[in-house]
Amino acid sequence: MSDQVEQERIKQVYRQWHGGAALARYAWHRPEVVSQQAARSRVLSRLLARTVGPDLSSTRVLDVGCGNGRFLRQLIDWGATPGHLAGTELQQDRLEHARLHTAPGVRWHLGQLDAFPDNSVDLVSAHTVFSSILDEDTRRALAAEMWRVLRPGGWTMIFDFRYSNPRNKNVRKVTDVELLRFWPAEQRHYRTLMLAPPLSRAMSRLPWLLPELLSACVPLLRSHFIYMARKEPPELRKRINKSPDPDPSAPSPATPPAAPGAPPHHTHRSG
């Protein structure tokens, strides 16, 4: 499948979804949505402070598939400078919504990443973007483009689904093996978060502490993850790229390999 065909499929899916009744499930005021956003903000804030640093004022950020611009607005609330931020999107209406509701100065781009030069950003992110891409070649091409625009020493951030949704054929989970193959970094972080949406909705009328405890005590019920990987300087990247591709039957790439002589890494995993 070509990139163009896959992009048109994604656009059509989002046009149908955005105007459908299913959108009401994600209304900002619903208790489970408020809880999910809080959990996401907690993990994001800790990871960003640990990787990019606590001062975001000079951090150059590109958010791929920025949607309505929520993540970039969050960064502005945390001290990022609007003029250092950019977002790309395939849907014109979503980009206009983002522009209208976000502080002036953010760069908005309709289309792909080819408008951005090599090694030009400190943080490149994608939120539930890769799970929307079913074609493996298109996933790989987007990952390569994200890596291209990221400067050495910068970080990529992926927020996405751990599990496929059997009721939604238009999304596919992103695996540990894919993450390591797309972004073969020595320094990486992997965090799981957010109670699976069906459970979260079912428990939305219960005291808020109950779903929080369930998510904290049973990591397998967390439906999403955040993965961050650091792009190493060229000389170190050459050494990493000489390592063999991860074997799907081997231990998770986010855990230390048992075999001696395996490639070194510094992975921090939670959940």
Side-chain angles (χ1 to χ4, degrees), residues 12-264:
Q12 181 63 27
V13 168
Y14 271 96
R15 280 194 292 266
Q16 294 173 349
W17 177 83
H18 202 61
L23 193 61
R25 291 182 177 181
Y26 304 96
W28 64 269
H29 58 84
R30 293 179 66 96
E32 68 275 18
V33 174
V34 173
S35 177
Q36 289 166 358
Q37 291 301 326
R40 188 171 172 180
S41 293
R42 284 196 299 269
V43 178
L44 279 174
S45 61
R46 288 196 295 266
L47 282 176
L48 283 175
R50 186 172 185 174
T51 55
V52 178
D55 182 2
L56 301 178
S57 61
S58 61
T59 304
R60 298 165 299 172
V61 182
L62 172 61
D63 189 28
V64 179
C66 64
N68 63 14
R70 177 181 294 157
F71 176 60
L72 295 178
R73 288 193 294 275
Q74 179 75 83
L75 292 181
I76 294 171
D77 287 345
W78 288 344
T81 302
H84 293 165
L85 309 181
T88 70
E89 178 55 54
L90 295 179
Q91 303 289 333
Q92 180 71 50
D93 58 335
R94 304 185 84 194
L95 206 61
E96 289 303 321
H97 183 281
R99 191 192 312 273
L100 181 64
H101 292 88
T102 308
V106 177
R107 176 185 177 185
W108 305 105
H109 176 71
L110 183 67
Q112 300 302 306
L113 276 62
D114 50 7
F116 297 86
D118 298 358
N119 308 319
S120 58
V121 299
D122 306 300
L123 174 69
V124 58
S125 60
H127 299 251
T128 58
V129 169
F130 280 84
S131 56
S132 301
I133 302 172
L134 304 184
D135 180 64
E136 182 65 26
D137 290 338
T138 305
R139 281 189 176 191
R140 187 181 299 108
L142 177 58
E145 278 290 274
M146 291 175 65
W147 213 229
R148 176 186 64 79
V149 302
L150 189 65
R151 68 164 180 83
W155 290 83
T156 186
M157 170 189 285
I158 308 299
F159 169 80
D160 227 312
F161 293 108
R162 299 175 67 199
Y163 306 117
S164 294
N165 184 347
R167 297 182 179 180
N168 186 352
K169 64 180 181 179
N170 293 308
V171 296
R172 178 165 65 86
K173 68 180 181 181
V174 182
T175 67
D176 285 4
V177 171
E178 283 181 297
L179 292 172
L180 188 57
R181 183 176 294 135
F182 292 160
W183 300 283
E186 273 212 346
Q187 295 185 49
R188 53 189 186 269
H189 302 269
Y190 184 93
R191 301 287 187 271
T192 59
L193 66 155
M194 292 169 52
L195 193 64
L199 279 174
S200 184
R201 285 191 287 268
M203 301 180 72
S204 63
R205 296 185 181 277
L206 298 176
W208 67 270
L209 187 58
L210 294 179
E212 290 283 339
L213 284 174
L214 186 60
S215 177
C217 297
V218 190
L220 285 175
L221 296 181
R222 301 173 197 162
S223 55
H224 292 69
F225 69 85
I226 294 177
Y227 175 79
M228 294 193 68
R230 184 174 185 264
K231 183 177 180 180
E232 305 294 351
E235 60 274 11
L236 182 55
R237 195 155 65 245
K238 288 178 182 178
R239 178 165 64 84
I240 296 172
N241 289 338
K242 289 180 181 178
S243 303
D245 284 341
D247 182 350
S249 64
S252 166
T255 58

